[in-house]
Amino acid sequence: MFKTSLNFINTNKTIPSITSINNLLNNAKTVSAFQQSNYAESRSFGFDNSAQKLPESTRVIICGGGVLGASVAYHLAELGWGQDTIVLEQGRLGGGMTYHSSGLVGVFKPSRAQVRLCKESVQLYKDLTAQGHKLGWKQCGTLNVARTRDRMTHFRRMKAQSIALGIECHLVTPAEAQSLCSIIQVDDIKGGLWVPGEGVCNPYDICNSLLQLAKNKGVRVIEFCGVERVLSEDDRVTGVETNLGTVKCHVFVNSGGFWARHIGQMSNPVVKVPLHPVEHYYLYTKPIAGLDPMTPVVRDLDGQVYVREHDGSLLAGGFEPVAKPAYEDGSIPLKMMDLNIGLKPKKKRDVDYAEDSPVERVLPEDWDHFHVLLEQLLHRVPRLGSAVLHKLTNGPEGFSPDCKWIIGEAPELRNYHVVAGMKTVGISAAGGVGRATAERIINGLFPYDMYELDICRFLGLHNNRKFLRDRSREAPGLHYALPYPFREFRTGRNLRMSPIYPRLREAGAVFGQVMGYERPAYFDPDHVEEGTYKDDGRPYRIAETFTFAKPDWFDFVAREYEACRETVGLCDYSSFTKIDLTSKGQEVVDLLQYLCSNDVDIPVGGIIHTGLQNERGGYENDCSLTRLAENHYMMIAPTIQQTRCKTWIQRHLPSDSSVSVSDVTSMFTAIAIIGPFTRTLLSELTDTDLSPKSFPFFTFKELDVGLANGIRTMNLTHTGELGYVMYIPNEFALHVYNKLLEVGAKYNIRHAGHYATRALRIEKFYAFWGQDLDTTTTPLECGRTWRVKFDKGPFIGREALLRQREEGVRRMYVQLLLQDHDPDLELWAWGGEPIYRDNQYVGATTTTGYGFTLKRMVCLGFVQNLDAQGNPQVVTNDYVMSGQYEVDIAGIRYPAKVGLHSPNLPTKYPDQEREGYFATRDKMVTEPLLRANVTK
């Protein structure tokens, strides 16, 4: 019997009766019958292995003949590498996740990069269809319906952002939604969002067409050829061992679907591809009389379900709030055999690649588990209750731990590229992802910024099988969940914790997680014991924001912000990436001079901010460098850079191993004290002279603090406020923390979390990598030209930046202060909002927040000068400052005052050092230490 005690998401509807559900099931075929029909309908692509023979060598080997592998092959062929590319498929082509795809093609995705990839896919499918290729493309549109006010707010935000994304969409009323799709019931919805440019396609036909076109340009496609080992030398791909022989190659592409993690383990070193398969269900009905073939795709996001027309029938599925992991014991089947009944492999070797019985091709269906989706489907599409069920498919789909795609070159091996984790929507993005991957293989860079999808965003902990199993229960449900700000996961918590974590929890910390690290978001000291989630029986709290308006944590953050501005705030900075770089001679200086756009040859004890640019001049990393000794530097980078920046450095190391790179993130607890009384406080705990003359802004000293020694202390805070960051050997961390609180009590010291320091840096107009800066943003565009030292000698990106300096920038980083906006009553800006100048769209916000000193919303973002055709022209300071600006928040435009420089914020305790430092524009000549002409 079905479970009836179910929790539903954001709905007050009448649930369909168990009788109506049973009526639907009584019309279904037997399990074995509709599983057999699955295979009877699958088709062979007609690639004959009998004439294929593995060559001794090739340039590129693609592992996986699904739609993603086919797209990479197609685009490599289009770029001239067809003769040098081989696609290997362990079973029949299109027999993996492509076989289980529902064929939905949507372009509205959570980020600009994902939207661009999907738009490129749609354009490719349109172009190929126009050329006469069979893809099954049908532009029937998508109707998204909302059951709640917050969902409609989300739709209004999407509508506002559609201008920047170039997507046609329309907000619709319930009545209009009913007219667009007559089969749905609309009594309980608030409205909808109609996207006419979206549609559906046939995944098999797309896969077949792309591979055939690739073959026409020289790509070789070999079925029933399983990869058994990826060969490498000096951490670079050199070849592949298969069941049909060994092939030397220069590039390997892992597009193995949910097998991608297993394929990653076939190399040495192991390539970590953090994926876990989950059961993914969708059902087909028998043909329904009178069903319009142009019935739009309907997404009932609050019900977690979708439905589409398919050859006169309905195809329906969804993403249950709590997913069911597949192969929980880790025993994932290692082969996907022929999916076509009666078709035998043309050739086999020692490994058995014959087909299994059809019943083993899909996972057994679990109607009890699917019941939560079935109820929602019957509610939204009542006609489904009288339809005859044809089959229910339960196919494994791979999800990443953050519910995002995994793309890019693996950090462990050069020329090992991964295309995986597409979470059932691979067909939507396949065209764009294939093109981007092909360009990355050939040119070394993605055509645009894709850091949020890059495989380098993960650590080893993300590949832990038990972690992935637990997270895979949660991740699929987020696919349709409301994208509230600062979304946090509830699984896989309490993994990385600083030694002071228990004390922070006792102080009322409410935690966010970044790179597995528990980081206080804010502190609620009055409700320490009211945690919702448990860890080993002890309560702790997860930061959650369930609104697009003024958040519940506002007052807590206001008090923490005030402490950092007027007394002393204490923050845990331990999650920041920390890298030590050393050499015996000058080698480390020479390396960093080549990697960094700023001049790193500063006095010992000095600190600089610098970018690590790529060949286009964009930021691969934005960091602080402290010169601890002549040949010893410490790099402090954003938390999300831990894998990425180390990989970037390692790939540019001298071949003679003269430079040593050590990730010391986990060796140090970092405590920041921020505020005007920090110097006085710290002076009571150390014998070192902390006066500005002895220990100036932007310098380093190794201090004794309390009874502890060897504390690496930096005179900066990354927020624009006075203070220090202490990098404390872990064994001393609790002692130093206790001493700071003990002595700091007289200065009204207060704990402060990430939300407060974020507010400080936004108000001070500080850009941050991964939010404002990315791989396509240059220092010249964000007002950091003074940090680029063109005359120091060659460095990566120098030529691109020189060209940009000569030609002028085509976008400019600005700060916008909202006017006539009531933060208590109106929706907030949370990032991605369109910016208008003189009533014309010119850009979008990146980071936003409330300015507690300015008493208004503050938006950071980029402004362009677009011509009539939408092409960016040169942007100047005069252009920016001469316009009248507005920021669109969910369809309402608010006037905004634009700024190009870090503002001087009023304070009770003005300080010459603090007010003399500007993070943006060219008021600075260099960092404070060098400006003071301190000699080496």
Side-chain angles (χ1 to χ4, degrees):
M1 179 56 64
F2 292 116
K3 302 170 186 175
T4 55
S5 57
L6 301 170
N7 294 319
F8 298 97
I9 306 298
N10 295 325
T11 177
N12 295 313
K13 64 188 184 312
T14 302
I15 304 300
S17 67
I18 295 299
T19 302
S20 66
I21 296 174
N22 287 335
N23 288 340
L24 174 64
L25 298 182
N26 288 335
N27 291 327
K29 303 298 181 183
T30 64
V31 171
S32 60
F34 62 70
Q35 282 186 342
Q36 291 283 351
S37 67
N38 249 344
Y39 294 96
E41 291 180 2
S42 64
R43 62 205 73 170
S44 170
F45 290 162
F47 295 107
D48 188 350
N49 263 13
S50 59
Q52 294 283 4
K53 182 179 179 181
L54 285 176
E56 291 185 2
S57 64
T58 190
R59 182 178 283 182
V60 182
I61 288 181
I62 300 171
C63 176
V67 69
L68 287 169
S71 181
V72 175
Y74 167 81
H75 284 95
L76 284 172
E78 288 292 299
L79 293 171
W81 281 33
Q83 297 290 338
D84 301 312
T85 300
I86 297 176
V87 177
L88 304 181
E89 169 56 46
Q90 63 173 335
R92 280 290 186 192
L93 292 161
M97 254 70 82
T98 299
Y99 172 73
H100 297 302
S101 175
S102 58
L104 305 187
V105 180
V107 294
F108 246 130
K109 301 299 177 189
S111 70
R112 183 179 295 268
Q114 292 177 62
V115 167
R116 291 187 66 169
L117 293 170
C118 292
K119 288 181 68 177
E120 288 180 4
S121 293
V122 170
Q123 191 58 53
L124 175 65
Y125 301 157
K126 287 182 177 180
D127 291 345
L128 293 180
T129 298
Q131 295 168 20
H133 299 286
K134 183 180 178 182
L135 275 69
W137 165 249
K138 181 170 62 175
Q139 189 173 318
C140 57
T142 297
L143 176 61
N144 303 284
V145 298
R147 303 188 188 188
T148 65
R149 291 181 60 187
D150 275 4
R151 182 67 70 178
M152 279 306 299
T153 296
H154 174 49
F155 287 171
R156 290 197 297 272
R157 288 177 55 85
M158 292 171 66
K159 170 61 178 173
Q161 293 166 355
S162 68
I163 303 298
L165 300 174
I167 300 174
E168 181 188 356
C169 65
H170 308 278
L171 294 168
V172 297
T173 65
E176 290 169 332
Q178 182 81 80
S179 67
L180 285 166
C181 185
S182 61
I183 67 171
I184 64 171
Q185 76 90 6
V186 298
D187 293 347
D188 63 332
I189 70 171
K190 307 295 183 183
L193 185 72
W194 167 241
V195 190
E198 296 185 337
V200 297
C201 63
N202 188 310
Y204 309 102
D205 289 342
I206 289 180
C207 189
N208 186 25
S209 296
L210 291 176
L211 285 174
Q212 191 59 59
L213 289 167
K215 285 189 68 178
N216 293 344
K217 293 198 173 185
V219 173
R220 281 165 287 185
V221 181
I222 303 177
E223 295 178 309
F224 302 107
C225 183
V227 171
E228 297 175 346
R229 186 182 174 201
V230 179
L231 306 175
S232 62
E233 187 175 329
D234 296 327
D235 293 333
R236 187 181 294 267
V237 169
T238 59
V240 175
E241 288 182 2
T242 78
N243 63 300
L244 300 181
T246 299
V247 186
K248 295 179 181 178
C249 67
H250 300 291
V251 178
F252 179 77
V253 180
N254 180 348
S255 60
F258 76 80
W259 286 282
R261 181 175 182 270
H262 172 73
I263 294 168
Q265 295 171 334
M266 295 178 178
S267 58
N268 186 18
V270 166
V271 170
K272 302 175 185 68
V273 186
L275 288 173
H276 198 287
V278 299
E279 297 188 3
H280 182 64
Y281 295 83
Y282 61 88
L283 59 82
Y284 288 95
T285 70
K286 289 290 188 178
I288 298 175
L291 185 62
D292 186 349
M294 291 303 291
T295 297
V297 174
V298 175
R299 288 189 174 95
D300 181 351
L301 304 175
D302 296 308
Q304 304 282 100
V305 294
Y306 63 82
V307 63
R308 59 159 288 199
E309 187 275 343
H310 182 272
D311 292 339
S313 307
L314 288 177
L315 184 160
F319 299 86
E320 55 269 48
V322 179
K324 184 178 179 182
Y327 315 117
E328 288 191 68
D329 60 358
S331 57
I332 295 175
L334 304 186
K335 306 178 183 67
M336 189 69 169
M337 312 308 180
D338 183 15
L339 292 175
N340 299 276
I341 294 178
L343 296 177
K344 299 291 184 180
K346 300 289 184 181
K347 186 176 182 179
K348 293 191 293 181
R349 289 182 53 155
D350 295 337
V351 179
D352 182 12
Y353 279 78
E355 61 175 335
D356 296 332
S357 68
V359 176
E360 297 175 298
R361 290 294 165 251
V362 291
L363 297 170
E365 69 277 14
D366 182 344
W367 283 98
D368 278 342
H369 184 73
F370 183 66
H371 181 248
V372 63
L373 298 180
L374 184 58
E375 283 186 321
Q376 304 298 317
L377 289 167
L378 289 167
H379 169 71
R380 185 58 55 212
V381 187
R383 250 174 112 174
L384 204 55
S386 59
V388 177
L389 178 64
H390 175 45
K391 60 184 176 183
L392 177 71
T393 297
N394 176 13
E397 279 283 356
F399 278 76
S400 70
D402 60 0
C403 201
K404 296 179 182 178
W405 310 336
I406 303 177
I407 304 169
E409 187 177 18
E412 298 88 356
L413 276 179
R414 294 302 305 268
N415 298 331
Y416 188 119
H417 294 262
V418 177
V419 185
M422 304 307 289
K423 59 179 187 181
T424 81
V425 296
I427 199 69
S428 293
V433 169
R435 175 175 172 268
T437 301
E439 291 197 17
R440 173 69 188 269
I441 290 170
I442 294 174
N443 301 323
L445 290 170
F446 285 122
Y448 39 82
D449 181 73
M450 291 172 56
Y451 82 88
E452 64 159 347
L453 306 177
D454 199 309
I455 191 171
C456 287
R457 71 185 186 269
F458 296 115
L459 292 170
L461 67 90
H462 294 116
N463 201 44
N464 178 286
R465 186 182 64 79
K466 292 182 179 179
F467 166 84
L468 287 170
R469 176 201 62 195
D470 293 344
R471 180 61 62 83
S472 69
R473 292 187 173 94
E474 181 180 10
L478 298 180
H479 189 58
Y480 280 178
L482 271 165
Y484 287 120
F486 308 137
R487 186 160 64 188
E488 293 285 344
F489 288 98
R490 300 183 182 185
T491 53
R493 300 302 296 255
N494 277 24
L495 287 173
R496 303 178 73 194
M497 295 168 284
S498 71
I500 64 173
Y501 169 81
R503 294 296 308 275
L504 296 173
R505 189 160 73 177
E506 291 168 4
V510 183
F511 291 96
Q513 187 188 67
V514 57
M515 292 294 272
Y517 217 106
E518 295 295 336
R519 177 177 67 182
Y522 64 93
F523 287 80
D524 179 5
D526 297 329
H527 300 87
V528 176
E529 299 301 322
E530 293 185 8
T532 304
Y533 311 106
K534 299 286 183 177
D535 174 60
D536 295 329
R538 300 182 62 194
Y540 72 104
R541 299 178 63 193
I542 293 176
E544 293 174 314
T545 305
F546 295 124
T547 181
F548 294 109
K550 183 178 179 180
D552 293 340
W553 40 257
F554 180 88
D555 291 336
F556 302 119
V557 175
R559 289 193 288 268
E560 296 166 23
Y561 171 97
E562 182 181 15
C564 293
R565 290 276 294 155
E566 307 299 347
T567 56
V568 180
L570 184 149
C571 308
D572 183 6
Y573 274 18
S574 301
S575 69
F576 274 53
T577 298
K578 314 169 193 75
I579 305 288
D580 268 10
L581 301 103
T582 60
S583 64
K584 291 184 178 179
Q586 182 75 8
E587 296 89 352
V588 69
V589 182
D590 295 339
L591 170 67
L592 290 173
Q593 289 288 53
Y594 176 66
L595 291 178
C596 299
S597 50
N598 207 342
D599 186 357
V600 307
D601 196 7
I602 58 176
V604 172
I607 304 173
I608 61 163
H609 282 323
T610 183
L612 278 69
Q613 320 305 141
N614 53 41
E615 295 292 344
R616 294 186 299 223
Y619 280 93
E620 290 295 327
N621 187 16
D622 180 54
C623 64
S624 299
L625 271 176
T626 301
R627 196 167 191 177
L628 305 181
E630 283 292 334
N631 304 316
H632 185 184
Y633 290 81
M634 185 180 191
M635 175 182 289
I636 306 299
T639 303
I640 60 175
Q641 278 274 2
Q642 187 168 353
T643 299
R644 184 188 184 92
C645 73
K646 185 179 179 182
T647 301
W648 182 260
I649 294 168
Q650 287 175 327
R651 289 182 174 173
H652 293 91
L653 288 175
S655 58
D656 60 4
S657 302
S658 56
V659 177
S660 174
V661 179
S662 302
D663 183 348
V664 296
T665 301
S666 298
M667 293 174 58
F668 294 93
T669 299
I671 297 178
I673 51 173
I674 304 173
F677 293 108
T678 50
R679 181 181 293 129
T680 308
L681 165 59
L682 191 57
S683 294
E684 295 191 38
L685 293 172
T686 184
D687 296 330
T688 302
D689 181 4
L690 302 183
S691 67
K693 182 177 180 180
S694 175
F695 193 4
F697 195 35
F698 263 75
T699 62
F700 150 85
K701 284 186 181 294
E702 191 168 282
L703 303 181
D704 292 348
V705 178
L707 305 182
N709 69 303
I711 311 301
R712 297 180 181 181
T713 305
M714 321 297 182
N715 187 349
L716 53 74
T717 63
H718 306 294
T719 64
E721 300 299 323
L722 292 176
Y724 305 87
V725 183
M726 290 164 279
Y727 294 91
I728 310 162
N730 283 335
E731 63 267 30
F732 295 136
L734 196 55
H735 170 77
V736 173
Y737 169 84
N738 288 335
K739 285 296 182 183
L740 288 169
L741 288 184
E742 177 185 324
V743 176
K746 70 178 74 171
Y747 303 104
N748 295 319
I749 193 171
R750 179 185 289 272
H751 289 91
H754 170 66
Y755 292 173
T757 57
R758 181 179 182 274
L760 288 164
R761 73 96 174 164
I762 291 173
E763 205 167 27
K764 274 288 192 177
F765 198 10
Y766 277 33
F768 203 75
W769 196 93
Q771 298 174 39
D772 311 293
L773 310 179
D774 57 34
T775 59
T776 61
T777 306
T778 73
L780 280 64
E781 294 169 345
C782 61
R784 295 179 170 186
T785 307
W786 57 275
R787 288 184 182 168
V788 180
K789 303 302 185 289
F790 291 103
D791 57 355
K792 69 166 183 170
F795 60 87
I796 298 174
R798 181 174 183 271
E799 289 71 23
L801 294 177
L802 284 171
R803 286 194 301 272
Q804 189 177 60
R805 187 174 69 172
E806 179 69 23
E807 298 170 359
V809 299
R810 297 180 184 271
R811 62 176 186 154
M812 192 172 287
Y813 189 52
V814 300
Q815 184 184 63
L816 294 158
L817 308 181
L818 296 193
Q819 314 294 309
D820 301 330
H821 175 270
D822 188 337
D824 291 323
L825 301 176
E826 298 179 278
L827 296 173
W828 280 27
W830 292 103
E833 289 79 16
I835 301 171
Y836 290 85
R837 176 187 179 274
D838 296 341
N839 209 36
Q840 298 296 317
Y841 169 78
V842 291
T845 65
T846 51
T847 311
T848 61
Y850 183 76
F852 290 93
T853 297
L854 297 170
K855 304 298 183 185
R856 63 187 69 249
M857 293 296 302
V858 182
C859 300
L860 310 182
F862 287 88
V863 166
Q864 294 178 294
N865 178 11
L866 302 173
D867 64 17
Q869 288 72 43
N871 300 313
Q873 306 300 307
V874 171
V875 178
T876 64
N877 288 8
D878 289 341
Y879 168 83
V880 171
M881 298 304 297
S882 63
Q884 299 295 316
Y885 288 86
E886 296 172 303
V887 175
D888 187 329
I889 303 177
I892 300 176
R893 295 189 191 180
Y894 295 92
K897 180 181 178 181
V898 71
L900 290 172
H901 302 284
S902 298
N904 287 319
L905 302 177
T907 175
K908 299 175 187 175
Y909 306 100
D911 183 272
Q912 186 175 358
E913 274 193 306
R914 173 172 59 183
E915 302 304 335
Y917 183 76
F918 295 86
T920 57
R921 305 297 168 236
D922 297 332
K923 288 190 177 184
M924 296 293 296
V925 177
T926 185
E927 304 292 359
L929 173 67
L930 300 184
R931 189 181 70 235
N933 296 317
V934 177
T935 59
K936 298 181 186 179

